[in-house]
Amino acid sequence: MKKIFIAPSILNADFLHLDDEIKKVETLGATYLHLDVMDGHFVPNISFGIPVIESVKGKYNMVNDVHLMISEPKKYIEKFVRAGSDILTFHYEALKSDDEVNDLIDFIHSFGVKAGISIKTNTDVKVLLPFLEKIDLILIMSVEPGFGGQKFLLSSLEKLEFLSIYKKENNLKYLIEVDGGINNETSKLATKAGAEILVCGSYLFKAKNIKENYASLFEE
Ligand code: DX5
Ligand code: ZN
């Protein structure tokens, strides 16, 4: 069976007890720690930024998976690298041209950090074709970025399927991650469609029993 990796998003965690919250998902075996950065401009919400990422740097046995929902991502890449990002994912829609996208991927790689691209729910997955050979990760949004706790949009499934088939046919290496509305049901739909990493926020951090909810992401 294909291995599925979990990327808990701390957006809906208890920030007053962030260390305890992160330790819970680390103990449960999560591979990635998903850090949602929002600037109130690219998305209609403000979350957290560099100081929070710095504070988790090197503390946990998880990969720091930073999701930049910000305008002008290039301006801040170096700061996010220094803060301890292992993967830096920017939004396709935040840039003006394919040249800018290519340039930003190269720029992130120049620091020895993995580069990811994310697309919003209304963006065609085929816009990513020019970058699939060199990108490390694709993040498919299954909700409109900006807030946790929204309903999973089924339209993301065909994007995941496309990326999964294309990856196999062309023997490529990019990881396929899905973000938004993941629970015990949508996790199965997304993984069947080809998702390899599941971002999961409120279903874990607002759970009555986080251990049960975590396990239910995998069970058939
Ligand atoms: C939405 C963020 C997500 C979000 C996921 O803009 O990118 O990572 O926190 O939260 P849930 O799992 O609650 O949809
Ligand atoms: Zn995210």
Side-chain angles (χ1 to χ4, degrees), residues 52 72 102:
V52 170
E72 298 190 75
N102 266 312

Side-chain angles (χ1 to χ4, degrees), residues 33-53:
L33 186 64
H34 189 80
L35 299 152
D36 286 306
V37 177
M38 303 180 187
D39 66 353
H41 185 259
F42 181 74
V43 287
N45 195 11
I46 299 177
S47 57
F48 54 80
I50 291 153
V52 170
I53 295 166

Side-chain angles (χ1 to χ4, degrees), residues 1-2 13 15 22 30 45 71 74 77 81 93 101 112 124 137 149 157-158 171-172 192 195 202-203 207:
M1 218 178 77
K2 202 174 73 175
F15 277 81
I22 297 176
N45 195 11
S71 304
K74 191 170 180 189
I77 291 299
V81 168
E93 301 86 358
V101 175
D124 189 333
L137 178 145
L157 294 176
E158 56 193 61
N171 202 18
L172 296 176
K192 258 187 212 114
S202 39
Y203 186 65

Side-chain angles (χ1 to χ4, degrees), residues 121-141:
T121 59
N122 289 327
T123 302
D124 189 333
V125 67
K126 297 221 169 72
V127 301
L128 300 174
L129 280 170
F131 320 110
L132 294 179
E133 297 235 338
K134 68 174 178 185
I135 200 73
D136 301 295
L137 178 145
I138 301 289
L139 178 62
I140 295 296
M141 291 309 301

Side-chain angles (χ1 to χ4, degrees), residues 203-216:
Y203 186 65
L204 293 176
F205 288 111
K206 297 282 181 207
K208 277 207 191 89
N209 185 328
I210 189 169
K211 199 175 166 189
E212 268 176 34
N213 280 18
Y214 187 90
S216 77

Side-chain angles (χ1 to χ4, degrees), residues 11-116:
L11 191 61
N12 270 313
D14 176 358
F15 277 81
L16 207 50
H17 303 101
L18 195 53
D19 183 44
D20 295 339
E21 294 278 78
I22 297 176
K23 278 181 184 146
K24 282 183 204 162
V25 291
E26 184 187 37
T27 307
L28 289 169
T31 310
Y32 299 87
L33 186 64
H34 189 80
L35 299 152
D36 286 306
V37 177
M38 303 180 187
D39 66 353
H41 185 259
F42 181 74
V43 287
N45 195 11
I46 299 177
S47 57
F48 54 80
I50 291 153
V52 170
I53 295 166
E54 263 169 358
S55 71
V56 303
K57 181 179 179 178
K59 293 238 168 50
Y60 309 98
N61 190 21
M62 284 182 282
V63 176
N64 289 334
D65 172 30
V66 176
H67 179 191
L68 297 176
M69 285 164 273
I70 62 172
S71 304
E72 298 190 75
K74 191 170 180 189
K75 262 193 183 171
Y76 304 96
I77 291 299
E78 192 162 351
K79 289 204 168 74
F80 280 104
V81 168
R82 306 272 170 246
S85 310
D86 300 306
I87 305 172
L88 273 171
T89 296
F90 60 89
H91 266 269
Y92 172 83
E93 301 86 358
L95 300 182
K96 290 189 198 73
S97 66
D98 282 9
D99 282 349
E100 274 193 17
V101 175
N102 266 312
D103 175 63
L104 189 52
I105 297 168
D106 293 344
F107 189 57
I108 295 170
H109 281 161
S110 74
F111 295 101
V113 167
K114 291 205 157 67

